[in-house]
Amino acid sequence: INAEYGSGFLKTQIKHKQIKRTMVLSVRKAGFPMETQDPFLFAVYHKDNYPAGNEKMEAPRRGNGSDFNPNAEYRMYHGSKIPGFPQHPHRGFETVTCTILGTIDHTDSLGCAGRYGNGDVQYMTAGKGIVHGEMFPLINMDKRNPCRFFQLWLNLPAQSKMVEPTQKMFWAEDIPTFMSKDGKTHVRVWTGELSGVKGIPPTPNSWAADPANDVGIFFIKISPFGKFTLPPCQQTSNRSLYFVEGSSIIVADKLIPTSSIAQLSPSISVEIENTSSDDAEILILQGKPISEPVVQHGPFVMNTQQQIYEAFSDYQKTQFGGWPWDEDAVIFP
C-alpha cells in the first residue's frame, strides 16, 4: 500500500511540475522595441528621466533627429529642442498609448489636439491614414520631468485597414482598476476584462472592440513579496508578460529577471510572485491572433507590398488630409 501511495504521489508531483513548465512557454530579454505576438505589432516601454525645462519647456540639449540611445538618462527621439515625435503618418493599424507618468501633447490631421498623461490612455485608429505628432514638453522648471508610458501598435484586419481614422481618450480617473484581496496587487484594466472587471470600450473598428477577440491590456503592480494569480484567457489567444520594473519575479516556479518577456500559456491560470523588496510592474498583452499576412514599411502596416506602395503614393498625393498646424512639433502652454 505504501509503495502504491508513493508511486501515485510521485506521478502527481511530476504532472504538477509538467503543468507549471507549460505555463511559461518562453522567456527572453526585452529589447527596444519589445517583441510582440499577433494581434500586436510593436511595443515600447518609454522611460525617460527628463531634466527641468526652461520657459519654453525645452530640454537643455538638442536632439540629433534620431536619439534612441537606450543607455542614456533620457532620449530626444525625433525632437530637436523638445523631445518627442513631430508630425508623421500612419496607415493600417492603431496606436494605443498608455501613460504612467509625464506629459504628452497630441496633434493630428483631423484637427484634434490636447494634452494628456499621468495615467491617461489614447486609442488612435489610423485606418486609411492619419498624421499625428506626440511631443513631451518639460513643463516643470523647478524639478525633473520623468516620463513613463507604453506605446503599443495593435493590428487591424484586412477589412478594417481602410476605415476612417478616429481616436478615443480614456482619462485616468475613468479607467477601471482593482486591488487583490490581500491588498498587495493593483491592476489597471486598460483594455479587455480581467477578474470580472471590464475596461472602457475602445474605438469602434478596433480589433479590441469585439469581446470575442479577447484583447487584453493590463498593467499590474505587485507590492514587495506579494502574489497575484493571473486567470486564464481564451485558449486560442496569444498572451505575453512584460516585466518592466522591479528586481525579480517568479512566474509558475520560473525566476524572471527584470526587462524580460515571458510568453504564457493562455488557458492556464498562473501565479506571479514578487520575490523582492521593490514593487514589480508588469504589462500583460493578450488577444486572438488576426492571422493575416503582415507587410510593414515604416509607419504603414498592410497585407501586401502593393498596398504599401499605394500607402506611400496616397500620402504623397493627399498628405492624409494635410497638416492643419503651423508647426511640425506642436506643444501647448
Side-chain angles (χ1 to χ4, degrees), residues 20-322:
K20 286 209 166 187
R21 279 199 294 269
T22 61
M23 292 178 181
V24 181
L25 304 178
S26 67
V27 178
R28 55 199 182 277
K29 185 173 178 57
F32 189 90
M34 303 182 290
E35 293 180 31
T36 56
Q37 298 185 85
D38 188 0
F40 292 90
L41 299 162
F42 174 96
V44 168
Y45 173 48
H46 289 272
K47 182 182 180 182
D48 294 283
N49 189 19
Y50 291 116
N54 62 18
E55 65 279 358
K56 296 181 179 180
M57 295 178 278
E58 298 171 338
R61 69 174 175 87
R62 277 181 172 267
N64 60 13
S66 187
D67 179 8
F68 289 82
N69 180 2
N71 300 314
E73 185 178 27
Y74 67 90
R75 284 142 290 277
M76 297 296 288
Y77 301 106
H78 294 316
S80 175
K81 297 178 181 179
I82 296 174
F85 297 86
Q87 65 143 315
H88 56 282
H90 290 302
R91 171 181 277 186
F93 65 100
E94 56 192 343
T95 62
V96 188
T97 307
C98 306
T99 69
I100 304 168
L101 187 65
T103 301
I104 299 176
D105 280 354
H106 167 91
T107 44
D108 64 40
S109 53
L110 300 177
C112 299
R115 174 170 291 172
Y116 69 98
N118 296 311
D120 302 327
V121 170
Q122 183 199 59
Y123 256 84
M124 190 185 76
T125 303
K128 68 179 185 181
I130 194 171
V131 183
H132 77 140
E134 306 158 288
M135 304 306 296
F136 316 141
L138 309 188
I139 62 176
N140 298 319
M141 295 177 60
D142 57 347
K143 59 182 179 180
R144 303 193 72 90
N145 290 271
C147 186
R148 293 202 296 140
F149 68 95
F150 294 100
Q151 171 83 177
L152 311 174
W153 289 12
L154 178 59
N155 201 7
L156 289 169
Q159 65 182 19
S160 301
K161 284 190 176 294
M162 295 298 285
V163 298
E164 292 294 326
T166 189
Q167 63 164 303
K168 185 174 182 178
M169 291 301 309
F170 303 173
W171 302 112
E173 59 270 24
D174 299 326
I175 293 173
T177 66
F178 68 90
M179 293 288 295
S180 59
K181 291 182 179 179
D182 64 4
K184 292 187 175 181
T185 301
H186 181 267
V187 180
R188 301 187 204 184
V189 182
W190 282 332
T191 294
E193 181 176 352
L194 189 66
S195 300
V197 178
K198 294 183 179 181
I200 299 170
T203 45
N205 290 299
S206 172
W207 183 247
D210 185 348
N213 293 332
D214 195 33
V215 175
I217 305 174
F218 314 124
F219 187 56
I220 301 172
K221 185 175 182 179
I222 305 176
S223 298
F225 308 109
K227 296 180 181 180
F228 177 73
T229 298
L230 184 68
C233 59
Q234 290 183 13
Q235 189 170 358
T236 55
S237 291
N238 290 324
R239 176 180 264 183
S240 295
L241 176 153
Y242 299 81
F243 179 30
V244 296
E245 292 290 340
S247 298
S248 64
I249 57 175
I250 292 177
V251 180
D253 288 347
K254 186 180 288 290
L255 184 67
I256 310 291
T258 189
S259 300
S260 294
I261 306 169
Q263 182 180 344
L264 304 180
S265 174
S267 57
I268 306 173
S269 62
V270 59
E271 183 181 81
I272 306 168
E273 178 182 359
N274 182 3
T275 59
S276 77
S277 58
D278 302 316
D279 289 336
E281 294 184 350
I282 296 159
L283 174 71
I284 301 293
L285 298 181
Q286 70 181 45
K288 176 183 174 182
I290 294 174
S291 300
E292 293 178 352
V294 174
V295 180
Q296 178 183 349
H297 192 104
F300 305 138
V301 182
M302 304 301 289
N303 298 113
T304 68
Q305 190 63 51
Q306 179 60 37
Q307 291 171 338
I308 293 293
Y309 295 146
E310 291 169 359
F312 275 99
S313 176
D314 290 347
Y315 178 59
Q316 289 172 352
K317 292 176 183 176
T318 70
Q319 297 295 297
F320 293 162

